[in-house]
Every structure is written in C-alpha cells, then in structure tokens.
Amino acid sequence: MQKKHSTLSDLFRITTPAAALAISLVAPSSQAEEDMSKPEIKVEKKKDANGKEGVYMYIDGVKVHETDTAKQPLPPVVTPGDKPGAPPSDAVVLFDGTEESFKANWTDTRGGPSKWNVVDGAMESVRRAGYIQSKQKFGSCQLHIEWASPAKVAGNGQGRGNSGVFLMGTYEVQVLDSFENQTYADGQAGALYGRSKPLVNASRKPGEWQSYDIIFHQPRFDKDGKVTRRATFTVLHNGVIIQDHTVLSGGTGWNGPHAASEYKAHANKLPISMQDHGNPVRFRNVWVRELKD
Ligand code: MG
C-alpha cells in the first residue's frame, strides 16, 4: 500500500531537487531571517469527481500549477522589439534618436531645456551643460541604454570618455572609455561607481556603440529614513553580465576623498540622469520598463 503523506516533512521527503528549487525561486527575497529551506506550503486533500483523493499544495495562498486564471493570472503578453535592443511593446521610450524625443523627455537638472546636442540620432554631452535628467520619474526598473565614447581618443584614466547613468538620479553605473584605458577597477565602465567593479571588462573600442541593460531594484527606507532594503543592480554590458545581482552597500556619491557616500532617504520615484563629465559621450535608444518590487 502506498504511504499517505500526512505531514509537511513527509511531503518534503518526496520533493525532487527540481521541485525544491522551483519552490525556493518563488520564495520572497525578504526572508533573510527565515529558514529558506522551509517555504510555507499549505497542503489540502480533496476528492475529485471520481472520488479519488488528491493532494494539493498552496504557496502564498495560490495553488501550485493553478490553471484558473482568475486565481493565478497569466503573465501579460509583451511583443519583443524586432531586433536585439529594440524597445518591447510595453517600454517607455525615453529617446528614439529625434530632437523631438530629446525635448519631450529630457531637461537639465533644474527642469529647464538642456544644452546637450542631438547629433546623428544621439544625445551628446556638452561640457559645462550639466547633467540631463528624464522628465518621467522611475523607481525599480529595467533600463536599456546605448552609449559611445568619442572616436577621437583624448585624455586618459577617468578623463577619457567619462559620463554615467544614474538610476534615480543617485546611483551611478559608470560610463567610461575603458578600452585599453586603465583606471581604478571600481571606476571603470560598468562599475557601480566606488562600490562594485564589473565582473569583466566587456568594452568595445572608442566610438563604437555599446549597450547597458540594467535591472535595478531601488532601496527602501522606513519613516525615519533608515534603509530597510538596499538597492540591487544586475547589469549586462554589450550582452555580457558585469554586475550579478550586486547589492549596493551605500551611495555612489562623494564623501570626502572617496565615492563612499551613505544612503540618504529619497522619494520612491526619481528621474534617470546622465552625467556631463566634460567629455562628448553620446547616448541613444533609451527605454525603460518599470518593475514592481
Ligand atoms: Mg562618471
């Protein structure tokens, strides 16, 4: 006779490694203090129309393998872009290569018109014009952005093709011509500036278009401004992973002699911004998809 699985531990004994993995993947990430090997599963025994008893498992109140879409809605259909890097159907396009798109979506940091140029379908940083920022504000998001450092190489180290992409106008993914241009590791292209060096240097040559695909989860603060969850970054540089769910230990701004600022509480949504660091770095094909935390 087949043994009846009357307790949770019995059930776990029959759980395959693959099933255990699937269960661990759906467990919320905020369970740092809990035992991650024991997800909260409710078990229900029910007889079907033929009187045959079945065992059903529920995670977070939803039946595993639920087919009723009223109880477990299917993921929305998103049409991917027609070529790699093109915006999918549900993206907010922040720059499509046109002057109109630039004016409609970007300002200087005071909300006025920016002095950056639109050249050959790209937004180009202008020395002393300051940062640009998106009119629309974002929190956690997926961001695609393409950039090119100047084809004509000038300067070295941090002075060569320097700019930056700032999530929430605050947390910098470094943009730098890091092709055969040595600088400190936590300041080269793809670094979370001063916090986390990229896993590899996937830089293309100066003047060539490069891409960042960034998955960013914003930090959370309590009402006293204390961090309750740190920000995380996953970044692909030209399709190569360079930040693998990196937890940002603090801000990327300056704190005395180093970029080692502390977290400072801020709004839930803020503009995305790009840096004027004095070098004519170009950006194009910028789109965002907001993420629910
Ligand atoms: Mg920079």
Side-chain angles (χ1 to χ4, degrees), residues 13-81:
R13 258 172 236 143
I14 60 155
T15 301
T16 62
L21 176 66
I23 288 164
S24 73
L25 285 174
V26 299
S29 57
S30 57
Q31 289 185 337
E33 298 303 307
E34 293 172 31
D35 183 348
M36 303 290 269
S37 67
K38 291 177 186 163
E40 221 178 272
I41 300 176
K42 253 184 70 186
V43 179
E44 189 183 67
K45 287 180 183 175
K46 247 188 347 199
K47 282 187 178 155
D48 66 15
N50 302 320
K52 201 177 161 209
E53 194 172 74
V55 180
Y56 301 91
M57 297 165 77
Y58 292 76
I59 297 175
D60 294 333
V62 179
K63 193 169 88 184
V64 179
H65 307 318
E66 179 61 77
T67 53
D68 182 347
T69 56
K71 293 175 183 161
Q72 176 62 292
L74 293 173
V77 173
V78 172
T79 307

Side-chain angles (χ1 to χ4, degrees), residues 158 162-164 166 172-175 193 275 277:
Q158 291 290 307
N162 193 334
S163 182
F166 290 70
E172 182 181 14
V173 181
Q174 172 72 314
V175 168
Y193 193 70
Q275 188 178 45
H277 202 282

Side-chain angles (χ1 to χ4, degrees), residues 148-292:
S149 60
K152 191 169 166 238
V153 170
N156 54 51
Q158 291 290 307
R160 182 167 141 185
N162 193 334
S163 182
V165 179
F166 290 70
L167 279 294
M168 306 194 86
T170 306
Y171 308 106
E172 182 181 14
V173 181
Q174 172 72 314
V175 168
L176 193 77
D177 176 1
S178 286
F179 187 85
E180 296 175 357
N181 174 39
Q182 194 170 322
T183 183
Y184 40 87
D186 60 6
Q188 70 179 68
L192 307 181
Y193 193 70
R195 289 283 169 181
S196 174
K197 66 179 182 180
L199 293 169
V200 295
N201 182 349
S203 298
R204 295 192 200 280
K205 290 178 181 166
E208 291 184 9
W209 282 102
Q210 316 203 37
S211 63
Y212 281 162
D213 287 283
I214 300 170
I215 294 105
F216 168 71
H217 285 276
Q218 67 196 97
R220 293 287 183 192
F221 305 93
D222 67 15
K223 59 178 177 10
D224 302 318
K226 245 184 80 185
V227 175
T228 56
R229 190 189 74 180
R230 288 168 159 175
T232 61
F233 276 89
T234 297
V235 182
L236 287 88
H237 182 191
N238 298 324
V240 179
I241 191 152
I242 55 165
Q243 301 288 347
D244 185 3
H245 199 71
T246 304
V247 178
L248 195 65
S249 54
T252 61
W254 290 94
N255 180 6
H258 299 294
S261 58
E262 294 177 2
Y263 273 113
K264 251 206 201 126
H266 52 63
N268 277 331
K269 289 192 177 191
L270 287 166
I272 290 165
S273 63
M274 273 90 87
Q275 188 178 45
D276 159 25
H277 202 282
N279 306 137
V281 175
R282 294 180 176 190
F283 294 92
R284 72 175 188 191
N285 191 19
V286 186
W287 53 262
V288 188
R289 297 178 66 249
E290 294 190 76
L291 294 175
K292 287 193 185 116

